Amino acid sequence: MQNKTLIVEDLMLLLMDDKSGAIAGAGTLYYTLGGAVLVELGLDGHITVDENDKGMNGLKVHAVSGEPLSDPVLQTAHEKVAERLRGVQTLLIEIGTGLGETLLDRLVERGMLRRESKKTLGVFRSTSTTAADTQHKKALLEKVRAVLAYGEEPDARTAAVIGLLSASGTLPSLHRSIPWSGKVYKRAKQLEQASWGAEAVNTAVMRTVAAVSVGTAVAVTVTN
């Protein structure tokens, strides 16, 4: 495995609580992870989007032909994009679904997370995944904090991570490390809107939230 982490791996680390292993935005995580992979493919020139070709499922994503990618997560996603022309919203789901477990396995292999198995009442076995080596995560948080709290200009990867955190609605979960404020919200939203991938994630998450809200309202109405 490469030493360099992917944007999607960095994002997963930031979304996970070190002690409990809970993941912020778990209900729409597949959108966020799928978006992170597409953003990385775009930054590296492996896919493009046509800003003038936007259908019901968002901007159409095109694969750029070239040598196979060395990272299996990126290669699998690139192959999926290359299968046929689709909107970004469709690809978020296809790429992101099931990706979470793969990323956790990779981060355990890297030594950044640990996986422990235990029995409850001597019978029921459960597995938990929590932080192991937090050095890389702390460095990520420092970069994010420098941009959002102190106004530093981000590199492309940090900008992508912040944009995705903003788009997924999970940035406030980092309030212990990055105090939440109007300034932080505004800067993060700027970076989100500068990235077609992050904007696609935001649209997908908002659609899901709206659908859940409507479903809840209907259920309450029927109950009453």
Side-chain angles (χ1 to χ4, degrees):
M1 183 181 294
Q2 298 176 336
N3 290 326
K4 180 181 177 182
T5 55
L6 300 180
I7 289 173
V8 72
E9 290 175 304
D10 288 348
L11 196 63
M12 193 70 162
L13 285 173
L14 293 175
L15 293 175
M16 174 177 280
D17 182 85
D18 291 344
K19 294 182 179 179
S20 70
I23 299 174
T28 52
L29 183 64
Y30 51 96
Y31 289 130
T32 309
L33 299 182
V37 174
L38 287 174
V39 166
E40 183 139 5
L41 288 173
L43 287 176
D44 292 341
H46 300 303
I47 61 172
T48 61
V49 295
D50 185 349
E51 298 287 353
N52 298 315
D53 189 5
K54 186 175 183 179
M56 290 183 62
N57 289 314
L59 296 170
K60 297 295 175 56
V61 183
H62 303 258
V64 176
S65 60
E67 295 295 321
L69 306 182
S70 59
D71 189 287
V73 167
L74 297 181
Q75 177 61 21
T76 298
H78 188 265
E79 290 172 356
K80 199 169 289 292
V81 175
E83 286 174 359
R84 65 182 188 280
L85 188 61
R86 277 161 291 182
V88 63
Q89 295 292 326
T90 301
L91 286 167
L92 291 179
I93 299 172
E94 293 187 4
I95 292 171
T97 300
L99 183 56
E101 284 302 316
T102 298
L103 296 174
L104 291 177
D105 288 343
R106 286 167 58 113
L107 291 169
V108 168
E109 186 178 338
R110 289 182 184 277
M112 296 177 186
L113 300 179
R114 69 166 59 89
R115 186 168 282 142
E116 298 175 328
S117 182
K118 62 181 180 180
K119 285 186 178 181
T120 305
L121 301 176
V123 178
F124 304 104
R125 182 172 295 279
S126 63
T127 302
S128 62
T129 305
T130 55
D133 182 351
T134 60
Q135 183 176 353
H136 181 70
K137 181 174 180 177
K138 288 177 179 177
L140 288 173
L141 282 169
E142 281 299 320
K143 288 184 178 181
V144 173
R145 184 187 299 110
V147 174
L148 296 180
Y150 307 128
E152 290 190 11
E153 283 301 312
D155 57 53
R157 289 176 60 86
T158 304
V161 167
I162 294 172
L164 289 159
L165 287 169
S166 174
S168 64
T170 57
L171 187 56
S173 68
L174 301 178
H175 65 91
R176 290 187 182 87
S177 301
I178 305 168
W180 187 241
S181 68
K183 175 185 175 183
V184 167
Y185 169 83
K186 184 177 180 180
R187 181 62 176 132
K189 185 60 69 172
Q190 288 173 342
L191 293 172
E192 173 194 328
Q193 292 171 347
S195 166
W196 60 264
E199 276 203 295
V201 170
N202 180 256
T203 299
V205 170
M206 290 302 101
R207 284 179 180 173
T208 302
V209 169
V212 170
S213 299
V214 170
T216 300
V218 170
V220 170
T221 302
V222 170
T223 302
N224 293 337

